Amino acid sequence: ATMLAADVMLILTGLLQLGKAGGAGATIDADSQERLQTYLHLLSSPGEEVQALCLVHCREVFSAMLRERAGQEEAEKPAKDVAPEVHRQADDLISVRQLKGGKSDTAALELDDDDDPVSSAAGAFTGELDFAARLKRVTQLTGLSDPVYAEAYVLVHSYDIMLDVLVINQTQEPMTNLCLELATVGDLKLCERPTAYTLAPAESKHIKANIKVSSTETGIVFGSIVYDAHGSTPPGGGENRNCVVLNDLHIDIMDYIAPASCSDLAFRAMWAEFEWENKVAVNTDITEVKEFLEHVMKSTNMRCLTPPAALEGESGFLAANLYAKSIFGEDALVNCSVEKRLDGKICGYIRIRSKTQGIALSLGDKITLKQKGPAC
């Protein structure tokens, strides 16, 4: 046994010297060097405690890690007995609303269930059909004292953003040639041209707009409502053209991100590969490191890859890896490293890495906005 241990120590020493010399084209990393030195220390001073550590305690910890990983994989597996839900039959009519003309076939319209994109998209989100959830997605676009009142209901459905804009004529004069003119900032694209409407006094109208999304980043929709008013005549004669500027609509990045999981090896590989990094300093009113981690996970809609066993116990510092995937297949990596100082406050950094700049900046802005506490 002693000769075998001596041979193993000779091999380990050779590996250390080769790694430090860099003869193989690359030097040894610090983690591998520390592991080899630990093995040399264990082989040079064997004893009952060392044997118990390697053969008993390490085996118990490894078994617990395997049980925990098997439980996570079992929980993530879809149920085999549940039949897949059929949303559309093979012979159902496919209707593209943007290609419909003013004189569409009446028979085809009777068979079309997708004429209202907002209603059909809302059907895909069963948790958002209640009134309280719909109110959270309503944004006021104009003031109550403006001649035209407008508010928008925003619904994100996969690659589409549906805007249902309610427009109310608050004057005593009719409005003609009323148009909702929108523009976008970011990877957003309008699919429809503005249509002119006529509103009688105190009349309301729902105007729908469809916007296509091509990447995961915070987009902005802005615009104005223009109309002809009959109440006053400009100096040149004719009708008076008026314009009401709308408030900006900020599209939330959280609508495109879903929690996902990956192996530790894949996380490290992506962390080393991705070039865009956003480093956010921790500035929060939360005083417990675990509570802060849960708040970051809830605010960013990400999953913690660090096993719960590694986060157990009372400690003044915490380091965890978070992971999420967008509907466009983009990966978002987050490393949260925080420490509780003597005065009770939490300090540290949250590092975000991604392949594209947009998702790294948008996630950083979201964390900066929400990290103060649950009330923010």
Side-chain angles (χ1 to χ4, degrees):
T2 306
M3 292 297 297
L4 181 61
D7 292 340
V8 174
M9 292 176 65
L10 182 61
I11 295 174
L12 294 179
T13 306
L15 289 175
L16 277 174
Q17 292 178 348
L18 178 64
K20 290 181 179 179
T27 57
I28 189 172
D29 58 278
D31 187 35
S32 301
Q33 181 179 347
E34 184 179 356
R35 285 173 180 267
L36 293 178
Q37 291 175 349
T38 303
Y39 297 151
L40 285 173
H41 178 70
L42 294 177
L43 291 174
S44 62
S45 56
E48 295 183 358
E49 294 182 356
V50 174
Q51 293 180 2
L53 175 65
C54 297
L55 302 179
V56 180
H57 299 297
C58 290
R59 182 183 180 89
E60 292 176 354
V61 172
F62 184 69
S63 301
M65 184 191 70
L66 291 181
R67 286 195 300 270
E68 183 178 353
R69 183 167 297 180
Q72 291 179 354
E73 293 177 355
E74 190 67 26
E76 293 174 0
K77 283 184 180 178
K80 296 182 180 179
D81 332 351
V82 180
E85 183 181 356
V86 179
H87 296 284
R88 290 291 184 272
Q89 297 295 336
D91 56 348
D92 280 354
L93 178 66
I94 299 178
S95 173
V96 181
R97 188 165 60 94
Q98 287 77 16
L99 301 181
K100 287 182 182 179
K103 299 180 180 179
S104 301
D105 187 8
T106 308
L109 289 177
E110 291 176 355
L111 297 175
D112 184 17
D113 294 328
D114 297 332
D115 190 45
D116 187 358
V118 176
S119 302
S120 60
F125 294 86
T126 55
E128 295 185 8
L129 295 180
D130 55 292
F131 183 71
R134 288 178 63 91
L135 282 181
K136 293 180 181 179
R137 293 186 171 270
V138 174
T139 304
Q140 185 176 340
L141 300 179
T142 63
L144 296 175
S145 59
D146 289 327
V148 179
Y149 175 78
E151 64 181 22
Y153 170 62
V154 184
L155 181 61
V156 178
H157 179 218
S158 187
Y159 302 97
D160 298 327
I161 298 176
M162 310 295 182
L163 296 182
D164 185 5
V165 183
L166 172 64
V167 179
I168 303 176
N169 181 4
Q170 299 193 117
T171 66
Q172 301 300 320
E173 300 292 337
M175 296 179 178
T176 58
N177 296 327
L178 185 142
C179 291
L180 175 64
E181 298 179 350
L182 298 176
T184 60
V185 174
D187 290 337
L188 305 176
K189 182 180 180 182
L190 290 167
C191 301
E192 301 164 341
R193 293 183 177 180
T195 306
Y197 301 94
T198 299
L199 289 184
E203 184 184 359
S204 62
K205 181 74 176 178
H206 283 270
I207 304 176
K208 296 179 177 62
N210 188 8
I211 300 175
K212 292 291 182 181
V213 186
S214 58
S215 70
T216 309
E217 66 176 84
T218 302
I220 301 176
V221 180
F222 62 95
S224 60
I225 295 177
V226 293
Y227 61 93
D228 294 331
H230 296 273
S232 58
T233 304
E239 295 180 340
N240 188 17
R241 194 69 172 167
N242 295 277
C243 176
V244 178
V245 180
L246 305 178
N247 293 330
D248 295 343
L249 271 174
H250 293 265
I251 306 302
D252 195 357
I253 188 180
M254 294 299 104
D255 293 323
Y256 311 124
I257 289 182
S261 59
C262 68
S263 63
D264 294 340
L265 185 61
F267 186 92
R268 293 192 186 99
M270 288 187 291
W271 187 269
E273 175 189 356
F274 293 167
E275 56 184 2
W276 290 105
E277 176 173 323
N278 190 5
K279 191 174 182 181
V280 180
V282 174
N283 181 18
T284 180
D285 297 329
I286 302 175
T287 57
E288 297 297 331
V289 290
K290 288 185 180 179
E291 183 184 352
F292 178 74
L293 176 63
E294 293 174 357
H295 175 65
V296 171
M297 292 168 55
K298 183 178 179 181
S299 303
T300 57
N301 200 20
M302 305 187 78
R303 174 173 295 173
C304 181
L305 299 182
T306 305
L311 303 175
E312 291 179 354
E314 297 295 330
S315 177
F317 62 91
L318 180 145
N321 295 328
L322 310 179
Y323 178 68
K325 206 176 185 69
S326 72
I327 62 175
F328 305 100
E330 300 168 322
D331 301 292
L333 313 178
V334 171
N335 174 261
C336 180
S337 301
V338 293
E339 179 184 4
K340 188 174 182 180
R341 299 186 301 194
L342 296 177
D343 56 0
K345 293 184 178 180
I346 293 179
C347 63
Y349 291 95
I350 299 175
R351 299 168 65 190
I352 307 159
R353 286 198 180 183
S354 65
K355 187 174 288 187
T356 58
Q357 181 184 18
I359 190 171
L361 295 179
S362 301
L363 262 181
D365 294 340
K366 189 72 175 181
I367 292 176
T368 304
L369 181 64
K370 294 287 186 179
Q371 69 170 331
K372 277 291 185 179
C376 296

